[in-house]
Amino acid sequence: MKIHTVMSSDVVVLEQHQSIRNAAELMRSRDIGSIPVSASEKLVGMVTDRDIVLRAVAEGLSQETPLSQVMSQGVKYCYAEDEVDDVARNMAELGVRRLPVIDADKKLVGIVSLSNIAQAGDRRATENLLEGTAQPH
């Protein structure tokens, strides 16, 4: 089964110059925990609720701090045509619970999460992913 059949395609993206407040408000309204960050339509990072708490709030940064200061860089991703089992194994090795999904033109087309893979019904992929993300990295 291809990852594009299980991913969430309703993805929101913020620009790296936008504030952590923008990200937090969007996370709250969409009930999500991470947002891809772009610069001129190029994926340059991911910001998570954890990033905001640990890199901004705990450090006393302003709500207007740009995402570029708190986001995780070096974004890992998968392709829409990748197999679910391969993506799950890769996510487990990386110790991540979400990955951006890009198409052949490297355009962001979705996000795949642990829950997407679990809902796909691939028991082996889910077990591998759960085991990998449960390990400290």
Side-chain angles (χ1 to χ4, degrees), residues 8-125:
S8 299
S9 57
D10 184 22
V11 181
V12 293
V13 179
L14 291 175
E15 287 286 321
Q16 67 177 353
H17 63 81
Q18 289 182 273
S19 72
I20 60 173
R21 181 190 347 203
N22 293 133
E25 289 170 347
L26 192 56
M27 287 177 185
R28 180 185 62 206
S29 69
R30 303 272 311 239
D31 193 27
I32 56 177
S34 67
I35 299 173
V37 179
S38 68
S40 303
E41 297 185 24
K42 180 183 178 200
L43 187 62
V44 295
M46 291 285 286
V47 65
T48 66
D49 46 8
R50 181 176 168 85
D51 292 331
I52 292 170
V53 170
L54 298 180
R55 296 181 182 163
V57 175
E59 295 295 325
L61 299 179
S62 160
Q63 292 181 22
E64 299 310 314
T65 299
L67 294 174
S68 60
Q69 290 187 25
V70 299
M71 70 183 187
S72 297
Q73 298 179 19
V75 180
K76 306 297 184 198
Y77 55 85
C78 64
Y79 288 95
E81 293 300 318
D82 288 347
E83 294 291 331
V84 169
D85 204 35
D86 294 335
V87 172
R89 188 172 24 266
N90 189 29
M91 289 172 71
E93 289 171 7
L94 295 169
V96 299
R97 297 175 183 266
R98 300 172 197 94
L99 274 182
V101 181
I102 61 173
D103 64 14
D105 297 323
K106 296 200 174 183
K107 179 183 175 216
L108 182 68
V109 295
I111 295 274
V112 64
S113 69
L114 176 78
S115 64
N116 295 131
I117 291 174
Q119 290 172 2
D122 187 331
R123 184 177 181 162
R124 184 173 50 127

